[in-house]
Amino acid sequence: MSLDAQRAPLWSQRLQPYLQRASQAQPLVVAGKLTRMVGLTLEAVGCQASIGGRCVIESAEGESIEAEVVGFHDEALYLMPIGAVHGLGPNARVVPTHGVCEVPVGDQLLGRVLDGAGHPLDNKGPLQAERRVPLTGRPINPLSRPPIREPLDVGVAAINALLSVGRGQRMGLFAGSGVGKSVLLGMMTRYTNADVIVVGLIGERGREVKEFVQNILGEQGMARAVVVATPADNSPLMRMHGAMLATRVAEHFRDQGKQVLLLMDSLTRFAQAQREVALAIGEPPATKGYPPSVFARLPQLVERAGTGDRGGSITAFYTVLAEGDDQNDPIADAARAILDGHVVLSRELAEAGHYPAIDIEASISRVMVDIVAPEHEQAVRRFRQLWSTYRQNRDLISVGAYQPGSDARIDESIAMYPALSGFLQQHLRQQVGWKDSLGGLIASLGEKP
């Protein structure tokens, strides 16, 4: 054997630590430059980064602006800035960070108000989080999710009794503007029996953030709540991150075995933010101006809620803004298909002073049959029949065209209507528990509990 052959194993052993460190080394950072800005999209060349990666852009004033990679074409990267882009100019230096977006999680978030990047907005000092995790959570095997079997008391009689919600269910609140979505959301925030409440205020008016924190949650509610606020004046990417951050925080508490209530206002603003991003990078519109990626992102966000494989659950309520009160709006139609039920709010009832303005005929809970007793289900069926019979013949009754005695069902619905309507109405400061809701349902039907 030659001398080189004898030395080969020795050289291999000596080189092993160096090879191992080299394999673990960070990739070489090569800076690029900005070449074009169209709308909200920045185009950079001379650097490499993957989709979802972060880049830092150095402005002429020496400020650093963070951006995320949202697309690429040939050698060009398409970037979407996280914040304002004032001061950027041609050939600005672009430095990839080779990292993914990470957000803070932990019990230290309770009682805090954050923006879409996880930075505090409440002037309570820096956030001391337990750890930072990727913005996108881990997927759960569908067969590992326990079935929904336990009802959730939301403190609203109409929902508890007629649209019963289970722990781990995902419901939508569908309505046009000014019909009472936020008020109903606030009632459930105060009255729902949950360990942790996570609120995502996505793309709404900025003034509503402080009002929601002070007037709806209050000090007692904030003690067990985390609020993520990305108002309408935030960039579309920040609005999307706000919805994803609220979901990620809820996932963290669910993985600890806690019962979490996730309230997101609104899912429509999340979809509109994704539309802005997709159109900005050149994706063609498909359905009423919405690109296909919007309808792919919605289930990716919603499916992260629900029951977990570690004992906890996320019961989620997403508000869906029906533009022009059109319940066949593309986002409303897509949301109905991926949610476990929907509560439709009626402008007609709201204008008549009927609050909460829940349209019982158009609303449904898909898991109700699995979480309520047969007697409860039978009472709900009878309530719906009486309510629907009166509503369908209301015009004839109101103008006096209906002759009493012509139809026994209509006669019964006319006699029962005041009690049925009174049961569905509830003051926003009034809490009605699960047992009281069921008792009120039975009483409205003229039966004994």
Side-chain angles (χ1 to χ4, degrees):
M1 181 181 295
S2 64
L3 181 61
D4 291 341
Q6 294 176 357
R7 292 178 176 175
L10 180 61
W11 282 109
S12 178
Q13 294 177 1
R14 291 181 177 179
L15 287 174
Q16 191 65 30
Y18 297 98
L19 294 174
Q20 185 176 2
R21 284 198 295 269
S23 65
Q24 297 174 350
Q26 295 293 329
L28 181 64
V29 176
V30 178
K33 64 179 181 180
L34 284 183
T35 59
R36 188 173 63 162
M37 178 178 180
V38 179
L40 299 175
T41 310
L42 306 174
E43 186 174 314
V45 297
C47 56
Q48 293 184 354
S50 58
I51 296 294
R54 292 300 181 95
C55 295
V56 175
I57 307 172
E58 300 175 358
S59 66
E61 288 80 6
E63 298 181 356
S64 296
I65 299 173
E66 194 173 7
E68 182 174 313
V69 181
V70 295
F72 59 87
H73 179 70
D74 292 335
E75 300 298 324
L77 292 179
Y78 296 143
L79 309 175
M80 187 68 65
I82 302 296
V85 294
H86 298 293
L88 289 183
N91 300 319
R93 192 164 181 261
V94 180
V95 182
T97 63
H98 295 292
V100 296
C101 181
E102 292 186 341
V103 294
V105 293
D107 292 342
Q108 292 80 5
L109 270 64
L110 295 175
R112 303 301 300 267
V113 182
L114 314 175
D115 64 6
H119 301 144
L121 295 174
D122 49 14
N123 298 321
K124 293 183 179 180
L127 190 63
Q128 303 295 334
E130 294 178 1
R131 57 193 179 96
R132 300 183 70 87
V133 296
L135 186 61
T136 55
R138 63 180 183 89
I140 300 178
N141 187 330
L143 298 180
S144 300
R145 290 181 180 267
I148 300 173
R149 293 291 183 266
E150 184 182 354
L152 177 69
D153 183 2
V154 299
V156 180
I159 297 178
N160 279 343
L162 302 173
L163 303 167
S164 302
V165 177
R167 290 194 181 274
Q169 188 174 354
R170 297 159 301 188
M171 292 284 286
L173 298 179
F174 291 73
S177 58
V179 184
K181 297 188 305 297
S182 299
V183 174
L184 181 57
L185 207 66
M187 293 174 65
M188 291 187 291
T189 302
R190 289 192 299 268
Y191 305 143
T192 299
N193 182 17
D195 298 326
V196 176
I197 298 174
V198 181
V199 181
L201 302 176
I202 312 302
E204 298 298 324
R205 293 176 288 272
R207 69 168 181 81
E208 293 183 343
V209 177
K210 190 172 184 178
E211 292 179 359
F212 194 94
V213 172
Q214 293 184 349
N215 301 338
I216 295 179
L217 283 174
E219 294 184 4
Q220 185 177 0
M222 278 299 297
R224 57 170 181 156
V226 181
V227 178
V228 180
T230 51
D233 58 346
N234 281 221
S235 68
L237 200 62
M238 185 66 78
R239 279 177 268 148
M240 291 177 59
H241 284 185
M244 297 168 68
L245 172 58
T247 306
R248 188 66 185 93
V249 172
E251 286 177 320
H252 167 76
F253 288 110
R254 178 187 62 187
D255 291 343
Q256 293 182 339
K258 296 182 178 180
Q259 308 301 324
V260 183
L261 175 66
L262 172 62
L263 305 172
M264 190 170 295
D265 187 12
S266 68
L267 191 65
T268 303
R269 304 303 185 196
F270 170 81
Q272 291 175 346
Q274 171 61 25
R275 177 176 63 180
E276 293 179 35
V277 173
L279 293 177
I281 62 177
E283 185 178 353
T287 306
K288 292 188 177 180
Y290 287 96
S293 61
V294 173
F295 303 100
R297 281 295 188 103
L298 285 176
Q300 290 176 1
L301 179 71
V302 171
E303 283 295 326
R304 291 169 60 181
T307 55
D309 54 0
R310 298 177 183 177
S313 69
I314 301 175
T315 306
F317 286 87
Y318 301 92
T319 64
V320 180
L321 179 62
E323 298 183 1
D325 293 335
D326 181 13
Q327 297 300 327
N328 294 319
D329 175 81
I331 300 304
D333 196 43
R336 272 195 300 268
I338 59 179
L339 293 172
D340 301 324
H342 48 272
V343 178
V344 179
L345 302 184
S346 167
R347 185 174 299 277
E348 180 184 359
L349 291 174
E351 291 175 348
H354 185 289
Y355 288 104
I358 299 176
D359 187 348
I360 295 299
E361 295 176 279
S363 305
I364 190 173
S365 172
R366 293 195 174 106
V367 304
M368 182 174 180
V369 295
D370 298 324
I371 61 176
V372 300
E375 297 79 9
H376 186 171
E377 185 181 356
Q378 184 178 359
V380 171
R381 188 180 300 113
R382 175 167 165 75
F383 187 101
R384 284 180 173 272
Q385 290 172 349
L386 291 170
W387 180 263
S388 180
T389 299
Y390 182 88
R391 300 286 295 182
Q392 290 173 4
N393 297 275
R394 181 185 51 180
D395 293 339
L396 293 176
I397 299 171
S398 60
V399 299
Y402 173 75
Q403 295 296 326
S406 302
D407 191 318
R409 294 180 306 154
I410 299 179
D411 291 340
E412 185 182 14
S413 68
I414 294 175
M416 301 290 294
Y417 181 76
L420 302 181
S421 179
F423 171 73
L424 293 178
Q425 299 183 54
Q426 181 177 335
H427 192 271
L428 62 91
R429 295 293 178 183
Q430 177 187 7
Q431 178 181 0
V432 182
W434 177 269
K435 292 184 179 180
D436 293 336
S437 299
L438 183 56
L441 171 63
I442 301 300
S444 68
L445 297 173
E447 301 176 2
K448 293 183 179 181

